[in-house]
């Protein structure tokens, strides 16, 4: 231990921070003068720029960066010099004080500044430009910061990041330390950003035994919620037990006992016999309660809608279809193909119907025809789609208003909808586009709100990737032998055959490689090295496409990657694209958060559902542009695709990610003029036909593939393995399992 050393210094800037493991690279001013900054590395998450740190660790050197100090633990010390106080206050630590105001306050009060904010905050009004309102805000922010500091100090020992400590404090306030000490597994359920693994680390640190039943039950619920993130509504019991043993490293017997206890708890889990997704003998499925309720409810509501004797569009039961379709052709200027006619009749005469088909097969024209005819008979038509972009497109197509499903249902904080079974939507026909994106929970909320006798039409492409959330609702509704009538459009219309994008989407879907020679809207740039392919994709998106096609790099071009990680993954490409499209400028404010930097003009996406933001919540996948960044107020503003201004406090920035590049999964339901797709060998395990098909069908005008022919061949050949674990199709056919709980 003899080579341990202690140093003190002011944290000047954070160069790199890994939110997952806390590893941080920072520059510290140790007061040696001459602007000499020392590089320190280690677990520094929680430290704020401007704070004085007392760090314990070891000296070392780095081949590239020279002398550096590796921190093993640290404590924060309030700064004592005017310069330190100015840096501390100006770091954005206290809401209402930015660098300019910090300068004014320290000029006025000198080294007594912190004592005055602490003991006599009313005196802040003496500072030019500080009124009573701002003074009050600063005093309140200082108090909150002090309380958070206490939680921070307590959590530092277990390596919890600043943003999560802030969230724990916001959730439990004065009870924070008590909850963390006595019920750490509550954190995984209550606080977004804390999964079971972080809660488990905290639990270990506060002395909760490895084989505690509380730990095992929390671990099993975590395993189920992880599987729902991968799209499953339940897990087979045997698989859940095996996953639990592996995750928790405890005996199988203990896991089985704890699972039985969870099944006996009404808010725990539900066990039920259902058909095996692979065929064969029935299995015991284990559900988290909300997914079980939603699956039963969705199947029940759909069957009720189908069976009801009421009809809110009775005019279509005895209509003269030849006459109606002839009238329609005069309105739209074109005749319907036979399969389109069938879809129109189905949607207007049956209570629930599904319309599916690939690009260029006339889904949009069919929807427009259905809406025209319904309106001609004075029906109230309501149009919706899962995303803002898809809703906008639906509105343009039909000339009627369309909204997101969330807005249509007026979701409230907490996720309850204003419209449900007791207060249904006032609509005779509800049309939902991009229905492949509907997950089980959202589909259940939607169908609950459809009035008895109203007609529901779900429109989507079942060959695309299934929803990001759990379930594969569209696919289950189309399952053989089910009660929901459906039409699949297969004929590609002549004008669509001219499009390389449409032709190649159908080729990929049929298991044939895309044509990449001699087309004006579909290109392949061959680059076998993953890193080079990533750089080339950035150059194509940021420079070449805008130059050749006159498109705007930020607004019109989207890079879609098969995965998030790696040199051609969305995470890395976002950094390169941001440098190319929205580079930093000394005269513009920016905010570093974890490993990201946010700037005005950045294209961003929301990465969690937050029911408390905006008019009806902001949802996972919402895209927007940063329009303002206020360092004093510690706030950033985003204008979303739905033209709504949403404010984010700086401590909420882990809800946002850059969206210059995104994974193909996250792009569902959106459409862009041009799409650039890196397809590289490093994404080998992810490459599947429906993934590449989904990426290509996001483009309206132009697709550029960048990568290796071998990787493209792998994607085209590989049909996605295994269905998701869902029993919706079984329940729709009237099946009900044996409930064990």
């Amino acid at each position: 231990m003899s080579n341990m050393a202690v140093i003190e210094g002011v944290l000047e800037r954070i160069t790199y921070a890994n939110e997952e493991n806390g590893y941080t690279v920072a520059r510290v001013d140790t007061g040696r003068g001459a602007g000499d900054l020392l590089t320190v590395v280690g677990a520094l998450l929680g430290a704020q720029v401007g704070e004085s740190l007392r760090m314990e660790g070891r000296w070392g050197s780095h081949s590239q960066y020279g002398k550096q100090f590796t921190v093993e633990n640290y404590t924060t010390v309030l700064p004592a010099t005017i310069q330190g106080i100015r840096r501390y206050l100006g770091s954005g630590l206290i809401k209402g004080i930015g660098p300019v105001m910090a300068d004014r306050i320290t000029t006025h009060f000198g080294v007594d500044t912190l004592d005055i904010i602490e003991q006599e905050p009313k005196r802040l009004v003496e500072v030019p430009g500080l009124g009573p309102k701002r003074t009050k805000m600063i005093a309140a922010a200082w108090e909150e910061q002090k309380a958070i500091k206490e939680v921070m100090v307590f959590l530092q020992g277990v390596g919890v990041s600043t943003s999560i400590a802030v969230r724990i404090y916001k959730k439990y306030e004065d009870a924070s330390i008590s909850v963390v000490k006595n019920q750490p597994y509550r954190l995984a359920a209550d606080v977004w950003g804390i999964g079971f693994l972080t809660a488990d680390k905290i639990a270990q640190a506060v002395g909760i035994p490895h084989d505690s039943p509380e730990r095992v039950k929390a671990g099993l619920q975590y395993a189920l919620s992880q599987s729902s993130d991968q799209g499953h509504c339940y897990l087979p019991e045997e698989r859940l037990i095996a996953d639990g043993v592996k995750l928790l490293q405890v005996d199988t017997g203990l896991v089985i006992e704890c699972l039985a206890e969870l099944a006996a708890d009404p808010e725990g889990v539900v066990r039920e016999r259902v058909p095996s997704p692979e065929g064969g003998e029935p299995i015991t499925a284990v559900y988290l309660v909300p997914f079980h309720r939603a699956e039963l409810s969705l199947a029940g509501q759909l069957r009720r809608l189908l069976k009801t004797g009421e009809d809110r569009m009775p005019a279509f039961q005895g209509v003269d279809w030849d006459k109606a379709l002839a009238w329609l052709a005069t309105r739209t200027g074109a005749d319907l193909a036979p399969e389109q006619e069938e879809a129109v009749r189905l949607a207007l005469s049956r209570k629930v119907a599904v319309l599916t088909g690939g690009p260029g097969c006339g889904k949009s024209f069919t929807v427009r025809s259905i809406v025209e005819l319904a309106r001609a008979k004075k029906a109230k038509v309501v149009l919706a789609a899962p995303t803002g972009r898809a809703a906008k497109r639906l509105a343009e197509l039909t000339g009627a208003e369309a909204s997101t499903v969330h807005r249509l249902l007026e979701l409230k904080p907490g996720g309850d909808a204003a419209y449900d079974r007791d207060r249904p939507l006032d609509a005779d026909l509800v049309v939902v586009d991009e229905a492949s994106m509907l997950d089980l929970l959202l589909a259940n909320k939607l169908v609950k709100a459809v009035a008895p006798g109203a007609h529901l039409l779900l429109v989507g492409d079942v060959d695309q990737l299934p929803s990001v959330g759990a379930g594969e609702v569209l696919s289950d509704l189309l399952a053989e032998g089910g009660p929901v009538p459906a039409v699949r459009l297969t004929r590609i219309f002549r004008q669509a055959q001219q499009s390389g994008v449409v032709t190649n989407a159908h080729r990929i879907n049929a298991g044939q490689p895309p044509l990449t020679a001699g087309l004006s809207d579909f290109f392949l740039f061959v680059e076998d090295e993953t890193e080079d392919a990533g750089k080339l994709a950035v150059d194509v998106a940021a420079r070449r496409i805008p130059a050749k096609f006159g498109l705007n790099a930020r607004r019109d071009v989207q890079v879609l990657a098969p995965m998030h990680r790696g040199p051609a993954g969305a995470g890395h490409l976002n950094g390169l694209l941001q440098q190319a499209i929205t580079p930093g400028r000394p005269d513009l404010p920016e905010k570093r958060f974890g490993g990201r930097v946010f700037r005005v003009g950045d294209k961003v996406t929301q990465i969690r559902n937050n029911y408390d933001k905006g008019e009806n919540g902001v949802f996972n996948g919402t895209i927007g542009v940063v329009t303002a960044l206020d360092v004093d107020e510690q706030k950033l503003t985003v204008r979303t695709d739905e033209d709504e201004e949403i404010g984010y406090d700086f401590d909420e920035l882990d809800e946002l990610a850059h969206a210059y590049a995104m994974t193909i999964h996250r792009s569902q339901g959106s459409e862009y003029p041009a799409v650039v797709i890196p397809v590289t060998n490093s994404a080998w395990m992810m490459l599947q036909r429906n993934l590449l098909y989904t990426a290509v069908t996001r483009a309206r005008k132009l697709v550029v593939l960048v990568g290796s022919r071998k990787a493209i061949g792998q994607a085209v050949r590989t049909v996605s393995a295994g269905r998701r674990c869902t029993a919706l199709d079984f329940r729709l056919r009237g099946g009900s399992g044996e409930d064990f709980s």
Side-chain angles (χ1 to χ4, degrees):
M1 291 300 288
S2 57
N3 58 353
M4 285 291 273
V6 175
I7 62 167
E8 290 197 8
V10 175
L11 183 58
E12 286 290 323
R13 68 171 177 270
I14 291 171
T15 314
Y16 168 80
N18 183 324
E19 289 278 327
E20 284 171 30
N21 60 20
Y23 181 78
T24 304
V25 179
R27 304 279 280 158
V28 170
D29 183 354
T30 53
R32 288 179 297 186
D36 211 0
L37 297 183
L38 169 71
T39 299
V40 297
V41 299
L44 275 173
L45 275 183
Q48 302 273 2
V49 170
E51 283 183 325
S52 293
L53 306 181
R54 189 169 190 278
M55 294 162 283
E56 211 177 328
R58 290 181 167 78
W59 288 100
S61 70
H62 185 281
S63 56
Q64 197 177 341
Y65 304 111
K67 191 176 180 185
Q68 62 181 32
F69 189 76
T70 301
V71 180
E72 303 216 348
N73 51 60
Y74 77 94
T75 52
T76 58
V77 188
L78 282 178
T81 65
I82 291 183
Q83 183 211 355
I85 292 168
R86 189 181 295 130
R87 289 285 291 127
Y88 179 66
L89 285 180
S91 67
L93 193 70
I94 306 298
K95 208 178 240 188
I97 305 182
V100 175
M101 197 48 75
D103 198 34
R104 279 192 210 159
I105 296 171
T106 47
T107 301
H108 191 82
F109 294 118
V111 288
D112 299 331
T113 298
L114 299 183
D115 290 337
I116 281 162
I117 295 176
E118 170 99 31
Q119 284 145 24
E120 303 175 79
K122 287 194 171 91
R123 282 192 58 196
L124 287 169
V125 293
E126 296 171 21
V127 177
L130 266 186
K133 191 178 161 195
R134 193 95 167 271
T135 299
K136 219 168 164 178
M137 183 176 146
I138 291 169
W142 179 265
E143 283 305 312
E144 187 182 8
Q145 185 59 36
K146 255 174 49 187
I148 291 174
K149 260 286 179 275
E150 214 179 304
V151 178
M152 295 281 202
V153 168
F154 175 71
L155 291 175
Q156 244 161 34
V158 290
V160 174
S161 74
T162 323
S163 59
I164 285 176
V166 168
R167 265 204 234 109
I168 290 173
Y169 178 77
K170 279 187 172 171
K171 179 76 186 170
Y172 306 115
E173 293 184 336
D174 296 343
S176 296
I177 290 174
S178 153
V179 170
V180 169
K181 270 186 180 163
N182 304 315
Q183 301 166 282
Y185 291 106
R186 258 183 75 184
L187 301 174
D190 292 354
V191 183
W192 183 75
I194 296 189
F196 171 78
L197 301 177
T198 306
D200 200 32
K201 211 159 93 181
I202 294 170
Q204 269 180 322
V206 298
I208 293 201
H210 187 69
D211 58 358
S212 143
E214 287 314 301
R215 175 175 185 264
V216 177
K217 286 193 248 183
L220 287 168
Q221 287 182 304
Y222 167 72
L224 281 174
S225 97
Q226 283 292 95
S227 76
S228 74
D229 288 346
Q230 285 150 19
H232 301 299
C233 299
Y234 66 80
L235 277 183
E237 186 176 44
E238 287 176 9
R239 186 165 146 197
L240 175 61
I241 291 167
D243 286 357
V245 169
K246 192 173 164 191
L247 169 74
L248 298 158
Q249 300 288 298
V250 294
D251 290 344
T252 307
L254 178 60
V255 171
I256 291 169
E257 272 171 47
C258 290
L259 182 55
E261 281 180 39
L262 272 176
D265 175 354
E267 293 304 311
V269 299
V270 177
R271 293 195 296 186
E272 197 183 342
R273 298 289 280 178
V274 300
S276 164
E278 311 301 326
E281 289 296 301
I283 55 158
T284 300
V286 185
Y287 285 84
L288 287 171
V289 173
F291 293 101
H292 186 256
R293 280 189 192 139
E295 203 171 80
L296 281 178
S297 163
L298 177 57
Q301 298 285 354
L302 283 166
R303 286 167 63 195
R304 232 182 324 272
L305 286 176
L306 283 161
K307 284 180 180 163
T308 180
E310 293 175 59
D311 194 345
R312 291 183 57 150
M313 294 203 298
F316 290 102
Q317 294 309 330
V319 75
D320 179 337
W321 282 107
D322 289 342
K323 205 168 160 189
L325 294 169
W327 173 85
L328 182 66
T330 62
R331 294 276 298 172
T332 58
D335 287 323
L336 291 165
E339 52 188 18
Q340 291 177 309
E341 266 185 37
E342 189 194 343
V344 169
R345 290 183 193 208
L346 213 53
L348 296 171
S349 60
R350 299 289 291 272
K351 305 293 172 21
V352 183
V354 173
L355 172 62
T356 188
C361 292
K363 278 200 310 289
S364 299
F365 184 67
T366 309
V367 170
R368 190 180 139 203
S369 302
I370 291 164
V371 172
E372 286 275 1
L373 277 173
R375 282 224 204 91
K377 294 289 186 190
K378 304 284 183 285
K380 278 186 182 163
V381 181
V382 164
L383 305 166
T387 66
R389 283 186 177 218
K392 264 186 183 167
R393 208 168 62 240
L394 186 58
E396 285 161 14
L397 163 80
T398 54
E401 208 177 305
S403 69
T404 62
V405 176
H406 301 102
R407 249 176 220 272
L408 174 69
L409 300 177
E410 289 181 19
L411 290 187
K412 301 282 176 237
D416 291 327
Y419 292 95
D420 57 21
R421 206 171 159 190
D422 300 326
R423 186 195 173 199
L425 294 162
D426 181 17
D428 305 319
L429 171 65
V430 178
V431 179
V432 183
D433 199 8
E434 292 288 356
S436 62
M437 289 186 72
L438 287 177
D439 62 44
L440 174 66
L441 300 181
L442 186 58
N444 178 43
K445 286 189 171 96
L446 170 72
V447 174
K448 249 191 220 172
V450 178
H455 293 228
L456 172 65
L457 173 66
L458 298 172
V459 184
D461 184 346
V462 75
D463 294 321
Q464 284 181 29
L465 288 167
S467 56
V468 174
E472 40 188 350
V473 173
L474 192 63
S475 186
D476 283 340
L477 295 186
L478 289 163
E480 231 171 287
V484 179
V487 172
R488 182 190 268 267
L489 302 179
T490 53
R491 183 183 141 198
I492 306 172
F493 285 90
R494 199 172 59 239
Q495 62 272 35
Q497 288 170 5
Q498 317 302 310
S499 156
V501 176
V502 170
T503 305
N504 279 328
H506 286 276
R507 283 182 68 89
I508 291 164
N509 205 23
Q512 299 168 332
L515 304 168
T516 55
L519 296 170
S520 61
D521 62 350
F522 202 104
F523 300 89
L524 166 65
F525 288 87
V526 176
E527 184 51 79
D528 288 330
E529 289 301 320
T530 300
E531 201 167 322
D532 293 339
K535 286 177 185 158
L536 180 55
V538 168
D539 188 46
V540 167
R543 196 176 59 80
R544 296 193 197 190
I545 289 176
K548 185 173 170 62
F549 295 94
L551 294 173
N552 178 298
R554 184 184 289 109
R555 189 188 60 232
D556 302 328
V557 185
Q558 184 62 52
V559 175
L560 298 178
M563 51 200 264
H564 184 74
R565 292 167 188 262
H572 180 64
L573 296 185
N574 259 320
L576 298 179
L577 284 158
Q578 185 193 33
Q579 278 171 15
I581 296 168
T582 318
R585 290 195 352 221
D587 56 326
L588 285 182
E590 55 180 45
K591 171 64 184 169
R592 184 176 289 278
F593 188 92
R596 301 188 183 114
V597 178
F598 290 96
R599 302 183 180 121
V600 171
D602 269 339
K603 185 173 174 180
V604 291
T605 179
Q606 173 83 9
I607 57 173
R608 67 169 283 222
N609 288 346
N610 186 334
Y611 295 96
D612 300 323
K613 281 202 171 300
E615 203 181 318
N616 297 118
V618 183
F619 296 91
N620 189 350
T622 300
I623 303 277
V625 172
V626 178
T627 52
L629 198 155
D630 189 322
V631 178
D632 285 2
E633 298 294 327
Q634 292 184 63
K635 206 168 184 172
L636 174 151
T637 307
V638 173
R639 177 172 279 281
T640 71
D641 267 356
E642 295 175 69
D643 292 331
E644 190 176 8
E645 295 272 346
I646 306 286
Y648 291 82
D649 289 343
F650 281 175
D651 62 23
E652 298 175 311
L653 292 182
D654 52 356
E655 292 191 19
L656 287 179
H658 290 104
Y660 300 99
M662 65 173 78
T663 62
I664 296 164
H665 280 90
R666 293 194 67 81
S667 73
Q668 285 169 262
S670 292
E671 204 181 66
Y672 315 93
V675 163
V676 179
I677 311 164
V679 188
T680 63
N681 296 333
S682 70
W684 198 258
M685 299 304 291
M686 294 288 295
L687 296 176
Q688 290 177 354
R689 186 180 298 170
N690 61 352
L691 188 83
L692 185 57
Y693 175 73
T694 300
V696 168
T697 54
R698 300 307 85 216
R700 236 185 352 258
K701 298 177 184 165
L702 175 68
V703 170
V704 181
L705 301 178
V706 180
S708 83
R709 290 185 195 276
K710 192 176 165 192
I712 292 165
Q714 165 72 0
V716 169
R717 278 192 310 275
T718 309
V719 178
S720 107
R723 294 265 333 252
R724 290 179 165 190
C725 293
T726 141
L728 179 62
D729 58 338
F730 163 67
R731 298 184 198 285
L732 280 169
R733 292 194 304 271
S736 64
E738 174 195 339
D739 192 340
F740 288 114
S741 53

